[in-house]
Amino acid sequence: MKYFFVGTIGLSMLLSACEKREEIKLPYEGDKIVVNTLIQPDSVVYIRVTRSVPSNVYNDGVYKDIPGATVTLTTNESSVMPLQVQTIKGLSYYVSGQKAVLGQRYQVAVAAAGLQAVTATDTLPQAPVAYNATAQRSSSRVQFTLKDQPASADYYRIRIYMTDASTGKGAFLLFRLDPAFNNNLVDYFSQDNYNSLIMNDERFNGKPVNFVLQTADPIMNAGEMTVEVSALTHTTYQYFNTLAAQKDAGISLGSHVRVFTNVTNGYGIVGGINTRKMTFKIQ
Protein backbone atom coordinates (compact mmCIF):
# COMPACT_ATOMS: atom_id res chain seq x y z
CA MET A 1 0.00 0.00 0.00
CA LYS A 2 1.12 3.58 -0.60
CA TYR A 3 0.48 6.82 1.21
CA PHE A 4 0.33 10.41 0.07
CA PHE A 5 1.26 13.65 1.71
CA VAL A 6 0.96 17.18 0.49
CA GLY A 7 4.03 19.43 0.42
CA THR A 8 3.26 23.13 0.54
CA ILE A 9 5.96 25.08 -1.23
CA GLY A 10 4.64 28.32 0.27
CA LEU A 11 3.31 31.61 -0.99
CA SER A 12 6.51 32.50 -2.78
CA MET A 13 6.62 33.89 -6.30
CA LEU A 14 3.82 36.40 -6.86
CA LEU A 15 2.16 35.17 -3.63
CA SER A 16 1.06 32.00 -5.44
CA ALA A 17 0.75 28.90 -3.25
CA CYS A 18 2.08 25.79 -4.93
CA GLU A 19 0.85 22.53 -3.50
CA LYS A 20 2.38 19.33 -4.80
CA ARG A 21 1.28 15.74 -4.16
CA GLU A 22 4.13 13.25 -4.04
CA GLU A 23 3.71 9.49 -4.08
CA ILE A 24 5.81 7.29 -1.83
CA LYS A 25 5.71 3.52 -2.30
CA LEU A 26 6.06 2.56 1.34
CA PRO A 27 3.78 0.66 3.73
CA TYR A 28 0.97 2.86 5.00
CA GLU A 29 1.61 3.61 8.69
CA GLY A 30 -1.88 4.80 9.58
CA ASP A 31 -3.52 8.21 9.50
CA LYS A 32 -1.16 10.96 10.62
CA ILE A 33 -1.20 14.73 10.76
CA VAL A 34 0.63 16.45 7.90
CA VAL A 35 2.06 19.93 8.54
CA ASN A 36 3.65 22.06 5.81
CA THR A 37 5.06 25.56 6.02
CA LEU A 38 8.13 27.34 4.72
CA ILE A 39 8.81 30.33 6.97
CA GLN A 40 10.25 33.43 5.32
CA PRO A 41 11.61 36.42 7.26
CA ASP A 42 9.52 39.60 6.93
CA SER A 43 6.48 37.59 5.87
CA VAL A 44 3.50 36.24 7.76
CA VAL A 45 3.55 32.48 8.30
CA TYR A 46 1.24 30.24 6.25
CA ILE A 47 0.64 26.76 7.73
CA ARG A 48 -1.20 24.01 5.85
CA VAL A 49 -2.58 21.16 7.98
CA THR A 50 -3.98 17.99 6.39
CA ARG A 51 -4.32 14.27 7.04
CA SER A 52 -2.26 11.55 5.37
CA VAL A 53 -4.29 9.44 2.93
CA PRO A 54 -3.76 5.83 1.74
CA SER A 55 -3.80 5.47 -2.04
CA ASN A 56 -6.81 3.12 -2.09
CA VAL A 57 -9.09 5.87 -0.72
CA TYR A 58 -7.38 8.88 -2.29
CA ASN A 59 -9.41 10.97 -4.74
CA ASP A 60 -7.17 13.08 -6.95
CA GLY A 61 -7.49 16.76 -6.11
CA VAL A 62 -9.22 16.17 -2.75
CA TYR A 63 -6.98 16.99 0.22
CA LYS A 64 -8.24 15.96 3.62
CA ASP A 65 -8.30 18.95 5.94
CA ILE A 66 -8.66 18.25 9.66
CA PRO A 67 -11.71 20.10 11.03
CA GLY A 68 -11.25 21.37 14.56
CA ALA A 69 -7.47 20.97 14.64
CA THR A 70 -5.64 23.01 17.27
CA VAL A 71 -2.64 24.69 15.68
CA THR A 72 -0.07 26.60 17.74
CA LEU A 73 2.88 28.65 16.47
CA THR A 74 5.51 29.68 19.02
CA THR A 75 8.82 31.54 18.81
CA ASN A 76 11.82 30.43 20.85
CA GLU A 77 9.47 27.88 22.48
CA SER A 78 7.69 30.50 24.60
CA SER A 79 5.97 33.36 22.75
CA VAL A 80 2.72 32.33 21.04
CA MET A 81 1.87 33.93 17.68
CA PRO A 82 -1.92 34.17 17.08
CA LEU A 83 -3.23 32.38 13.98
CA GLN A 84 -6.34 32.85 11.86
CA VAL A 85 -7.80 30.42 9.33
CA GLN A 86 -7.83 31.80 5.79
CA THR A 87 -8.94 30.25 2.51
CA ILE A 88 -6.42 30.88 -0.27
CA LYS A 89 -7.18 29.52 -3.74
CA GLY A 90 -9.66 27.09 -2.21
CA LEU A 91 -7.25 25.73 0.42
CA SER A 92 -7.32 26.35 4.17
CA TYR A 93 -4.27 27.87 5.86
CA TYR A 94 -3.50 28.91 9.42
CA VAL A 95 -1.99 32.38 8.98
CA SER A 96 -0.09 34.41 11.56
CA GLY A 97 -0.96 38.04 12.23
CA GLN A 98 2.72 38.88 12.71
CA LYS A 99 5.68 38.57 10.37
CA ALA A 100 8.51 36.15 11.02
CA VAL A 101 11.87 37.64 11.97
CA LEU A 102 15.47 36.45 11.93
CA GLY A 103 16.99 35.23 15.19
CA GLN A 104 13.90 33.30 16.26
CA ARG A 105 13.28 29.56 16.39
CA TYR A 106 9.76 28.65 15.29
CA GLN A 107 7.77 25.65 16.45
CA VAL A 108 4.46 24.42 15.05
CA ALA A 109 2.33 22.09 17.18
CA VAL A 110 -0.91 20.47 15.98
CA ALA A 111 -3.41 18.40 17.92
CA ALA A 112 -6.62 16.83 16.61
CA ALA A 113 -9.13 14.31 17.92
CA GLY A 114 -8.28 10.72 16.99
CA LEU A 115 -4.77 11.56 15.73
CA GLN A 116 -1.39 11.66 17.45
CA ALA A 117 -0.25 15.22 18.20
CA VAL A 118 2.74 16.48 16.20
CA THR A 119 5.45 19.13 16.50
CA ALA A 120 8.16 20.51 14.22
CA THR A 121 10.80 23.22 14.68
CA ASP A 122 13.25 25.19 12.56
CA THR A 123 15.17 28.48 12.45
CA LEU A 124 15.52 31.05 9.64
CA PRO A 125 18.64 31.46 7.46
CA GLN A 126 20.36 34.74 6.63
CA ALA A 127 19.51 36.24 3.24
CA PRO A 128 21.73 35.10 0.34
CA VAL A 129 24.12 37.64 -1.15
CA ALA A 130 23.26 37.48 -4.87
CA TYR A 131 23.59 40.21 -7.48
CA ASN A 132 24.30 41.15 -11.13
CA ALA A 133 21.57 38.98 -12.67
CA THR A 134 21.48 39.37 -16.48
CA ALA A 135 20.07 37.70 -19.59
CA GLN A 136 19.59 38.65 -23.23
CA ARG A 137 16.75 38.07 -25.64
CA SER A 138 17.35 35.22 -28.14
CA SER A 139 19.95 33.79 -25.75
CA SER A 140 19.61 30.75 -23.51
CA ARG A 141 22.03 31.96 -20.85
CA VAL A 142 21.15 33.56 -17.52
CA GLN A 143 23.96 34.79 -15.29
CA PHE A 144 24.33 36.07 -11.74
CA THR A 145 26.86 36.15 -8.92
CA LEU A 146 26.45 34.49 -5.52
CA LYS A 147 28.77 35.42 -2.66
CA ASP A 148 28.79 32.55 -0.20
CA GLN A 149 29.31 33.16 3.51
CA PRO A 150 32.50 31.72 5.08
CA ALA A 151 32.82 29.51 8.16
CA SER A 152 29.42 27.86 7.79
CA ALA A 153 27.63 25.26 5.69
CA ASP A 154 25.13 26.99 3.43
CA TYR A 155 22.32 25.63 1.27
CA TYR A 156 20.53 27.15 -1.72
CA ARG A 157 17.64 26.82 -4.15
CA ILE A 158 17.82 28.61 -7.52
CA ARG A 159 14.81 29.25 -9.81
CA ILE A 160 14.07 31.44 -12.86
CA TYR A 161 10.71 33.11 -13.41
CA MET A 162 9.70 34.78 -16.68
CA THR A 163 6.76 37.14 -17.26
CA ASP A 164 5.68 37.65 -20.88
CA ALA A 165 5.32 41.34 -21.76
CA SER A 166 2.42 40.84 -24.19
CA THR A 167 0.25 38.55 -22.06
CA GLY A 168 1.35 39.35 -18.51
CA LYS A 169 1.48 35.63 -17.80
CA GLY A 170 4.44 34.10 -16.02
CA ALA A 171 6.01 30.72 -15.37
CA PHE A 172 9.12 29.16 -13.92
CA LEU A 173 11.60 28.21 -16.65
CA LEU A 174 13.33 24.86 -17.06
CA PHE A 175 17.12 25.15 -16.94
CA ARG A 176 20.41 23.50 -16.01
CA LEU A 177 23.93 24.65 -15.22
CA ASP A 178 25.67 25.53 -18.49
CA PRO A 179 28.27 22.74 -18.95
CA ALA A 180 30.60 25.16 -20.78
CA PHE A 181 31.01 27.11 -17.53
CA ASN A 182 31.04 26.53 -13.77
CA ASN A 183 33.72 23.83 -13.81
CA ASN A 184 33.87 24.01 -10.02
CA LEU A 185 30.21 22.89 -9.89
CA VAL A 186 30.59 19.72 -11.95
CA ASP A 187 28.71 17.71 -9.30
CA TYR A 188 25.55 19.55 -10.33
CA PHE A 189 25.86 19.19 -14.12
CA SER A 190 22.91 17.42 -15.71
CA GLN A 191 21.69 16.54 -19.18
CA ASP A 192 18.13 17.16 -18.05
CA ASN A 193 16.47 20.50 -17.31
CA TYR A 194 14.66 21.26 -14.06
CA ASN A 195 12.65 24.16 -12.64
CA SER A 196 14.96 24.45 -9.62
CA LEU A 197 18.53 23.73 -8.60
CA ILE A 198 19.12 22.54 -5.02
CA MET A 199 22.72 22.66 -3.81
CA ASN A 200 25.11 23.09 -0.90
CA ASP A 201 28.28 25.20 -0.80
CA GLU A 202 30.88 22.43 -0.42
CA ARG A 203 32.44 23.40 -3.76
CA PHE A 204 32.64 27.16 -3.08
CA ASN A 205 32.42 27.75 0.67
CA GLY A 206 33.18 31.38 1.46
CA LYS A 207 33.83 32.36 -2.18
CA PRO A 208 31.93 34.34 -4.83
CA VAL A 209 30.70 32.21 -7.73
CA ASN A 210 29.54 33.40 -11.16
CA PHE A 211 26.62 31.15 -12.12
CA VAL A 212 25.78 30.58 -15.78
CA LEU A 213 22.42 28.86 -16.27
CA GLN A 214 21.25 27.46 -19.59
CA THR A 215 17.51 27.60 -20.22
CA ALA A 216 15.82 24.71 -22.02
CA ASP A 217 14.59 27.10 -24.73
CA PRO A 218 15.96 30.42 -25.98
CA ILE A 219 14.51 33.50 -24.30
CA MET A 220 12.45 34.88 -27.18
CA ASN A 221 9.79 37.00 -25.48
CA ALA A 222 10.42 40.47 -24.13
CA GLY A 223 9.29 40.91 -20.55
CA GLU A 224 10.55 40.66 -17.00
CA MET A 225 12.77 37.90 -15.68
CA THR A 226 13.31 37.11 -12.01
CA VAL A 227 16.29 35.10 -10.82
CA GLU A 228 15.28 33.76 -7.42
CA VAL A 229 18.03 32.62 -5.03
CA SER A 230 16.86 31.19 -1.71
CA ALA A 231 19.01 30.42 1.30
CA LEU A 232 17.79 27.28 3.05
CA THR A 233 18.24 25.82 6.50
CA HIS A 234 19.68 22.32 6.55
CA THR A 235 16.17 21.04 7.33
CA THR A 236 14.64 22.73 4.27
CA TYR A 237 17.58 21.60 2.11
CA GLN A 238 17.00 17.97 3.10
CA TYR A 239 13.31 18.27 2.26
CA PHE A 240 13.88 19.78 -1.21
CA ASN A 241 16.80 17.45 -1.94
CA THR A 242 14.89 14.26 -1.13
CA LEU A 243 11.80 15.57 -2.93
CA ALA A 244 13.90 16.01 -6.09
CA ALA A 245 15.50 12.58 -5.60
CA GLN A 246 12.08 10.97 -5.26
CA LYS A 247 10.90 12.53 -8.51
CA ASP A 248 14.06 11.32 -10.28
CA ALA A 249 13.59 7.81 -8.88
CA GLY A 250 10.01 7.76 -10.13
CA ILE A 251 11.09 8.78 -13.62
CA SER A 252 13.86 6.19 -13.77
CA LEU A 253 11.71 3.44 -12.21
CA GLY A 254 14.41 2.95 -9.60
CA SER A 255 14.09 2.69 -5.86
CA HIS A 256 11.72 5.26 -4.41
CA VAL A 257 13.05 7.73 -1.88
CA ARG A 258 11.35 8.70 1.35
CA VAL A 259 10.88 12.47 1.43
CA PHE A 260 12.51 14.02 4.47
CA THR A 261 10.19 15.22 7.24
CA ASN A 262 10.99 16.99 10.50
CA VAL A 263 7.45 16.60 11.85
CA THR A 264 7.61 14.40 14.95
CA ASN A 265 4.87 11.70 14.87
CA GLY A 266 3.62 12.99 11.50
CA TYR A 267 4.68 14.05 8.02
CA GLY A 268 5.58 17.26 6.21
CA ILE A 269 8.02 20.10 6.70
CA VAL A 270 8.38 23.14 8.92
CA GLY A 271 11.40 24.83 7.38
CA GLY A 272 13.16 28.16 7.14
CA ILE A 273 13.85 29.90 3.83
CA ASN A 274 15.12 33.36 2.88
CA THR A 275 14.68 34.45 -0.74
CA ARG A 276 16.48 37.12 -2.76
CA LYS A 277 14.71 38.06 -6.02
CA MET A 278 16.56 39.85 -8.81
CA THR A 279 14.08 41.19 -11.38
CA PHE A 280 15.09 42.87 -14.64
CA LYS A 281 13.69 43.54 -18.09
CA ILE A 282 14.57 41.44 -21.13
CA GLN A 283 15.16 43.72 -24.12
Side-chain angles (χ1 to χ4, degrees):
M1 185 177 292
K2 298 172 281 188
Y3 67 81
F4 295 99
F5 71 86
V6 178
T8 302
I9 310 303
L11 300 182
S12 53
M13 181 65 71
L14 301 180
L15 296 181
S16 61
C18 174
E19 188 162 276
K20 178 184 288 290
R21 174 173 62 87
E22 295 296 339
E23 180 180 332
I24 305 175
K25 292 187 176 179
L26 297 169
Y28 187 64
E29 299 174 353
D31 290 358
K32 293 181 180 292
I33 295 174
V34 183
V35 182
N36 287 285
T37 180
L38 294 182
I39 303 176
Q40 167 86 30
D42 301 320
S43 171
V44 297
V45 181
Y46 298 85
I47 305 170
R48 179 89 169 116
V49 176
T50 55
R51 180 196 299 261
S52 63
V53 183
S55 60
N56 63 325
V57 299
Y58 184 84
N59 294 318
D60 195 24
V62 178
Y63 301 98
K64 302 196 68 166
D65 290 341
I66 305 176
T70 301
V71 182
T72 305
L73 174 64
T74 58
T75 61
N76 289 346
E77 301 179 356
S78 59
S79 179
V80 177
M81 295 179 66
L83 300 172
Q84 292 184 341
V85 179
Q86 294 184 18
T87 300
I88 303 172
K89 293 189 176 181
L91 301 176
S92 295
Y93 289 84
Y94 294 82
V95 184
S96 69
Q98 304 171 22
K99 295 181 178 180
V101 295
L102 287 172
Q104 299 286 325
R105 174 174 293 275
Y106 290 87
Q107 181 182 78
V108 178
V110 182
L115 295 168
Q116 190 172 11
V118 303
T119 59
T121 304
D122 202 12
T123 57
L124 304 182
Q126 294 289 331
V129 181
Y131 48 91
N132 290 346
T134 61
Q136 292 184 344
R137 192 174 181 180
S138 302
S139 169
S140 60
R141 287 198 177 115
V142 179
Q143 303 182 52
F144 71 93
T145 300
L146 173 66
K147 188 178 186 302
D148 187 68
Q149 301 301 310
S152 65
D154 297 303
Y155 309 92
Y156 300 100
R157 180 182 70 178
I158 299 168
R159 301 196 294 183
I160 305 172
Y161 190 87
M162 184 75 193
T163 303
D164 188 277
S166 60
T167 65
K169 296 182 179 180
F172 286 102
L173 301 184
L174 296 174
F175 70 93
R176 63 175 182 164
L177 279 172
D178 193 321
F181 299 88
N182 300 125
N183 291 332
N184 57 331
L185 301 176
V186 64
D187 292 350
Y188 297 97
F189 285 173
S190 170
Q191 292 184 347
D192 298 318
N193 293 285
Y194 299 93
N195 60 12
S196 67
L197 173 63
I198 312 300
M199 64 192 323
N200 59 44
D201 68 347
E202 289 183 1
R203 288 279 187 170
F204 53 90
N205 192 348
K207 301 176 182 178
V209 179
N210 295 317
F211 279 81
V212 182
L213 311 177
Q214 184 181 61
T215 57
D217 300 304
I219 303 164
M220 302 305 296
N221 295 319
E224 281 192 344
M225 174 174 285
T226 297
V227 177
E228 180 189 279
V229 181
S230 297
L232 314 174
T233 62
H234 187 239
T235 293
T236 307
Y237 168 76
Q238 290 181 89
Y239 172 75
F240 282 138
N241 209 30
T242 54
L243 187 64
Q246 186 196 84
K247 291 175 65 177
D248 287 345
I251 293 172
S252 65
L253 300 180
S255 299
H256 283 254
V257 178
R258 181 190 290 268
V259 175
F260 172 84
T261 175
N262 68 334
V263 179
T264 303
N265 300 322
Y267 304 125
I269 180 70
V270 172
I273 187 170
N274 201 337
T275 299
R276 163 91 166 105
K277 296 177 183 178
M278 296 169 283
T279 301
F280 53 93
K281 290 187 178 295
I282 299 294
Q283 303 296 332

